Amino acid sequence: MSELAVPEPDANVLARRDEIVAGLRSIVGDDGLVDSQEGRRVYETDALTAYRAVPLAVVLPRTTDEVAAVLAFLAREGVKVVARGAGTSLSGGALPSTDSVVLGLSRMNRILSVDFDNRTARVEAGVTNINITNAVAGQGFFYAPDPSSQLACTIAGNIAMNSGGAHCLKYGVTTNNVLGLRMVLMDGTIVDLGGEHLDAPGYDLLGVVVGSEGQLGVVTEATVRILRAAEGARPILMGFGSAEAAGACVAAIIASGVTPVALEYMDRPAIKVCEAFAKAGYPLDVEALLIVEVEGSEADMADQIERIVAVAAAHGPTVTRVSQSEAESAAIWRGRKAAFGAMGRISDYLCMDGVIPTGRLPEVLVRVGEICAGYGLQVANIFHAGDGNLHPLVLYDMNDPAELRKAEAAGADILKLCVEVGGCLTGEHGVGIEKRDLMAAQFSAADLDQQMRIKSAFDPGWLLNPAKVFPLDGRPEKDEGAA
Amino acid sequence: MSEVIAPADAAELADVVRAHAARTAPVAVIGSGTRASWGRPVDAGQVLSTRAMAGITLYEPAEQVVAAAAGTPVAALDAELAAHNQRLAFEPPDLCGFFGTDGEPTVGGLAAGNLSGPRRIGAGAARDSLIGVEAVNGAGEPVKAGGRVMKNVTGYDLVKLLAGSFGTLAVLTGVTFKVAPRPETERTLVVRGQSLDAAIATMGAALASPHAVTGAAYDPGGSATATTALRLEGFEGSVNRRIAALKDDLDLTGEVDELDAERSADLWRSIRDVSALAGSSPVWRLSVKPTAAAEIATALGPIAPVRLLFDWGGGLIWAMVPDDIAHAGAPTVRAAVAAAGGHATLVRAPESVRRSADVFQPLPEPVMRLTRAVKRAFDPQGILNPGRMYRDM
Amino acid sequence: MQTGFSLAQLADSDVANSEEILRTCVHCGFCTATCPTYVLLGDERDSPRGRIYMIKQSLENDRPADADLVRHIDRCLSCLACMTTCPSGVDYMHLVDHARRHIRETGHRPWHQWATRWVLATVLPFPGRFRAAVAAAFYARPLSALLRRFEPAKPLAAMLRLAPRTLPPRSRHERPGVIPAIGERRARVALLRGCAQPVLGPGINDAAIRLLTRRGFEVVLPEGEGCCGALVHHMGETESAETFARRNIEAWTREIDGEGLDAILVTTSGCGTTLKDYGFLFRNDPDMAAKAAAISERAQDISEFLETVDLGTSHDRPPVKVAYHAACSLQHGQQIKDAPKTLLARAGYDVREPAESHLCCGSAGTYNILQSDIATQLRDRKAGHLSALDADVVAAGNLGCMVQIGQAVDLPVVHTVELLDWAYGGEVPPSLAAARLA
């Protein structure tokens, strides 16, 4: 396991475990409680398995009232709470501590109502991202933010991390698509923010809760925008002899006024691994692959494709493939979509999540390669070229603790580089525990203090998802009295 | 009249705020003051303006990002963006005509007021385009949030919190926006003579179509004919195809017209700037779900005659009420919103009315509690624009 | 994931194999989305990822199977939807097989659970005993409502409800033999008789035999063949499973070495998955490895085989809307998703698929007996989706599914091959005739 500092567990809480569990049992019943050691162990981690801690207990409530009762009880007992959606976080967002209770939202998974006239859907927070789209697809609608884990991840987690996805270039991220939510504060107060209307009545509290990584309250319901799906979508695949050429092509496409719905970039190592697994017909002799997707009517797509191909020509693609059929579209995307799985079959890896100004890509790729080589590790890069979100996949052997430490060090250096060139530490996965200790690379002490004061405004006792986001030193003294 | 200080840079501004915090002396925060009357009156001995802090600090068209000092005139920013065929997607309004003020609205003001025009329904509000801010909080500490990249989930999203906070949490000294391409052309489909119900249905159908409608507004007309307007933007061929497809889908009866690019731009500018409601009568701005618009219109009956304008497909309602209605008709408006959901802001009214009324929507107790706590977190001494949004805050 | 097995532990071939599987799991959680028990129960412990994690803890630490492991592995349907979903290629099937062995060897069960399992293992794989049991169940059926109120008696109650009130007429193809091709012989295939199918659904193989012989295939029902062993295998009874498997492998090898076999066809997809796994089962057995691998290579689901065969032109029939139920063992276990639908469409049927088609109907071998509460919820969910298709008949490629779904839909439920036989010159399936669709 890896070596990020965690606070000393609260001995007082550990000593009172039986009482606390009894109290939880009286709220959620036997069925809603996980008490056994082996049962709790299953909840000790999320998708960042390098960090693990068996929680005090796990509760699986079914209603907002149950959540409120649980939080109010735990607040009185001074017990920390870590909320959990589907546990797919790549930054340790659902990682518990030994003195905390995991509050899982997976049983609150009902679609409550869909309003096609106002183009909104109201769902319980445990609904998976794809199930929102599934509920409205029959009428030609979809829920836009589509992280690649959308099959399994919940809207609760999406809200906590302000998740993005391939469609976010055109349609925005979670915070641009959530209109309202119901949440429970740590003291058990149920608060409704927003609704079916578009603007906030006063402060944009909804806007600060989205992306607050489960530290301000537990969201139990959300009202989201649903959009009419475009008539069709079509990808173009282009291969380039250099990152510079591909990067310049991206800039030119953006300048041309065409708004693609996706702009994906893969470097040579990534192409090689994807092609070996997916056999999608990717060219293996290029430095960079771009997949550009356009949307609209047949005529509109044809027009956009023509413009893109014309614009791209000036940057000398060695391969240009415009999809002519559904089957070809599927083939073009097959490799890219299988990227993370394909990589996993050849090696363990750390998936980093930094953001850079798009124009700096070529130099950043060179430096990322140098950083990893310096640690004796290989790297492959997937890049959301439209918005600058870079995913270096740092390969290492998970069963070798020394390699894990080197991979994490390489990851940290890469993220600091991202900040250095004007980007930021994380574009999608959130800070969690993974990047907590890098926050000072991006924010001054005053900036962090300001954010922490917001935390105190919502959760004065600092009981919600502790030990994440903010570095452990420099935290305020607990405000025991305020609420 | 209060003295106006216009610091030349953020450091100087921070000094001013710090000095006021030390003495718990309130300060009224403005950009160029073109919308100073949106909100409750602020009683402060000092007015702090950002208008001397102007200038674009970063503009990279290929990265679709622009950053400017808060006092930069919006017009200047627009001109620079237009020169590179780009624009602010959220269509910021110019409300000088509406408020009867002179001056150059500033980019800081856009952010602080979350001012968004008709294209908000497709492109998002100001707060959705705002990706970074530099500000000075109520203790006089410079803080920054966000950055210059679109995807950024590092730490809490204070950018959203500061957008639309009307200078009560911090003084914005710099703003960074993501920008969008300027489309080749636009056209507007106009339907005349529709009832409110028919217009809401038409706009709803248009917004639920795949034709990428970027403006949906309805003017019942007052003395003129009612007008329903639907805008499409993009490349010329695309716009022509989509407007034809939209007409087909909507299956409209009655008088239907198509406005070319210039007439379309004129129309949406006047919708954006609420030109039809110029004057001095009190005006409410309501944010509701579109299907509630008709219900709201009916519920305002008791304070008739009310001049209404509907934007965002019916989700944004401007309501100009008669001068002689007590409290600008607040009880009726608040009751209408309580029944239909959403909220209402009294954006224009005589100072005396704004002083005694709840200008911003009164909030349920748990939300108000959080609001106060957030205010304290930024401005512990409560010196920034006290009372601008809520009576005791 | 990171694993911590000692070299001593890895000397055991099963442990070594499971360790490799555990290493491929990256704990991403995609599998939770398509796991029927996770969808119903919302508990990580009832998801493939959670089960994988518990199996890992148990094996790594050389611990006997604890109550959590037993309870949550028992709840696993082995539907393998997770394997279809997994982006990392985790071989969950073999991992959970190992876990079941581990539970069988080291886990604690209350006496009544052992008793139930013993009855199932002793009766179901033997058609004679099974037939007698079904007859007896007829008389005991009224007791099932009472028995259901007692947790230990739930499996018995479920068995009584599942037993049909009457059995269909016996097939004339019950005994070993050879049914010659009609006309020129194109190839020679074996057709697995199985254990429960000859009793509950003899018409299925009869239809298959008619169709195959009509198209020029000689069908062999080999001497010495019996239950494929899936049932006991899924209870962790490895030795017993190997006994059944060995007997079959020898029976088919005799045919292969004799007149030859071009394929071993299976009409119960649950058995097909097991036959295709014989090679893995005997991979470390020097005597059996090659023979077992040869069997697994020849094993094909009937739909897989027929898709490559020219069936001729379909005969004129009234239009029939078919709700196609994709059995888990077929779509996930064998990754055969299109063949049955393609065949039905080519035969002129209007093929419709239900929502959530990836989710199990709850049959899952003996799951609907051992975990009847969950099985019933899944059954009703599936029945609802199938009923919403406004179809005339439900078609499936697995007997277990047919029995399970038949309990909850108002439509005739038939095997895909019965519809194909009818389309290409055979008889109308009796239940369709009864519903006056022909």
Side-chain angles (χ1 to χ4, degrees), chain A residues 34 36 38-39 41-44 46-47 49 52 84 86-88 106-107 148 151-152 341 345 348 397-399, chain C residues 1-3 23 27-30 33 38 41-45 49-50 53-54 57 63 66 68 85 87-89:
Chain A
V34 180
S36 67
E38 289 320 305
R41 191 183 297 279
V42 172
Y43 286 87
E44 71 178 359
D46 51 29
T49 57
R52 311 181 283 276
R84 178 187 176 106
T88 56
S106 49
R107 287 185 171 163
S148 51
L151 179 66
R345 284 168 208 249
D348 300 313
D397 177 3
M398 196 176 251
N399 268 5
Chain C
M1 289 186 283
Q2 185 182 54
T3 56
R23 288 274 278 146
H27 212 73
C28 69
F30 280 38
Y38 184 79
L41 303 173
D43 184 336
E44 177 80 15
R45 297 171 297 174
R49 183 176 60 170
Y53 209 72
M54 287 190 286
Q57 302 305 325
R63 273 204 304 265
D66 58 69
D68 268 294
T85 304
S88 307

Side-chain angles (χ1 to χ4, degrees), chain B residues 48-95:
Chain B
L48 179 59
S49 164
T50 58
R51 65 175 182 238
M53 299 163 49
I56 292 174
T57 53
L58 169 82
Y59 180 31
E60 291 179 19
E63 304 287 332
Q64 298 185 287
V65 64
V66 69
T72 309
V74 177
L77 184 74
D78 266 346
E80 182 62 23
L81 295 177
H84 290 84
N85 224 28
Q86 293 186 322
R87 65 182 182 186
L88 295 172
F90 55 94
E91 199 166 18
D94 177 349
L95 296 174

Side-chain angles (χ1 to χ4, degrees), chain B residues 24-328:
Chain B
T24 316
V27 70
V29 181
I30 60 168
S32 55
T34 59
R35 280 180 305 106
S37 59
W38 181 330
R40 300 184 65 262
V42 174
D43 294 320
Q46 179 82 73
V47 176
L48 179 59
S49 164
T50 58
R51 65 175 182 238
M53 299 163 49
I56 292 174
T57 53
L58 169 82
Y59 180 31
E60 291 179 19
E63 304 287 332
Q64 298 185 287
V65 64
V66 69
T72 309
V74 177
L77 184 74
D78 266 346
E80 182 62 23
L81 295 177
H84 290 84
N85 224 28
Q86 293 186 322
R87 65 182 182 186
L88 295 172
F90 55 94
E91 199 166 18
D94 177 349
L95 296 174
C96 290
F98 178 82
F99 284 111
T101 52
D102 285 312
E104 285 280 5
T106 63
V107 297
L110 286 189
N114 191 26
L115 290 191
S116 319
R119 202 176 298 109
R120 193 242 186 277
I121 38 152
R127 57 88 97 178
D128 295 301
S129 281
L130 190 65
I131 58 177
V133 295
E134 286 170 359
V136 171
N137 66 18
E141 296 168 326
V143 292
K144 70 175 193 306
R148 50 150 294 172
V149 288
M150 280 185 242
K151 297 277 286 293
N152 190 340
V153 293
T154 326
Y156 295 170
D157 197 349
L158 299 191
V159 172
K160 298 289 181 297
L161 203 50
L162 290 172
S165 61
F166 282 83
T168 60
L169 296 179
V171 184
L172 299 179
T173 55
V175 290
T176 308
F177 283 104
K178 89 173 169 201
V179 299
R182 191 170 283 267
E184 190 174 68
T185 190
E186 67 180 84
R187 288 176 80 76
T188 295
L189 193 63
V190 167
V191 188
R192 298 194 204 283
Q194 287 191 310
S195 67
L196 176 57
D197 282 322
I200 297 292
T202 297
M203 292 192 289
L207 291 171
S209 80
H211 308 306
V213 170
T214 66
Y218 173 68
D219 184 346
S223 50
T225 332
T227 311
T228 310
L230 301 168
R231 173 178 57 188
L232 290 100
E233 300 173 288
F235 295 109
E236 172 128 17
S238 170
V239 169
N240 290 338
R241 281 189 294 269
R242 280 154 46 216
I243 208 169
L246 184 62
K247 266 164 62 171
D248 247 0
D249 282 357
L250 293 179
D251 195 26
L252 299 158
T253 51
E255 199 189 319
V256 176
D257 198 3
E258 266 183 48
L259 303 182
D260 63 27
E262 198 183 320
R263 287 160 65 211
S264 169
D266 285 342
L267 173 65
W268 288 100
R269 202 173 304 115
S270 77
I271 294 171
R272 181 196 78 184
D273 296 345
V274 205
S275 308
L277 304 187
S280 58
S281 302
V283 174
W284 290 88
R285 182 180 184 274
L286 294 86
S287 179
V288 302
K289 66 183 183 196
T291 56
E295 187 187 331
I296 296 270
T298 310
L300 296 181
I303 55 175
V306 180
R307 178 77 170 87
L308 293 165
L309 280 178
F310 299 85
D311 196 356
W312 301 353
L316 175 62
I317 305 176
W318 300 90
M320 186 162 74
V321 303
D323 283 314
D324 55 358
I325 294 277
H327 312 296

Side-chain angles (χ1 to χ4, degrees), chain C residues 200-367:
Chain C
L200 298 176
I204 297 170
N205 270 10
D206 284 354
I209 289 169
R210 286 194 298 270
L211 181 60
L212 288 164
T213 51
R214 229 183 286 126
R215 300 315 299 172
F217 296 99
E218 178 171 288
V219 179
V220 185
L221 305 174
E223 184 80 46
E225 186 206 79
C227 170
C228 69
L231 196 147
V232 289
H233 180 64
H234 288 318
M235 290 200 283
E237 306 273 354
T238 316
E239 271 183 42
S240 183
E242 284 176 5
T243 305
F244 282 114
R246 200 172 276 119
R247 196 180 63 188
N248 283 347
I249 292 168
E250 298 297 359
W252 292 321
T253 304
R254 281 196 293 277
E255 288 295 334
I256 291 170
D257 292 342
E259 278 219 48
L261 275 183
D262 295 292
I264 300 167
L265 302 183
V266 188
T267 49
T268 313
S269 59
C271 307
T273 309
T274 300
L275 259 58
K276 291 182 180 181
D277 203 33
Y278 277 1
F280 180 86
L281 207 56
F282 290 102
R283 68 196 185 285
N284 293 323
D285 182 331
D287 293 326
M288 295 295 297
K291 283 187 279 192
I295 297 306
S296 289
E297 269 164 38
R298 280 176 174 71
Q300 288 189 50
D301 183 80
I302 187 79
S303 65
E304 192 181 0
F305 180 77
L306 289 176
E307 203 195 7
T308 64
V309 164
D310 174 19
L311 295 174
T313 350
S314 59
H315 292 217
D316 264 336
R317 290 169 343 274
V320 172
K321 296 175 289 207
V322 178
Y324 174 69
H325 165 73
C328 295
S329 37
L330 202 52
Q331 63 167 324
H332 302 307
Q334 299 177 53
Q335 292 293 308
I336 295 171
K337 300 174 213 259
D338 294 326
K341 293 182 281 184
T342 307
L343 286 165
L344 288 169
R346 274 191 213 150
Y349 291 105
D350 171 1
V351 181
R352 301 165 180 207
E353 274 185 272
E356 295 191 315
S357 62
H358 60 282
L359 281 186
C360 186
C361 65
S363 170
T366 50
Y367 193 93

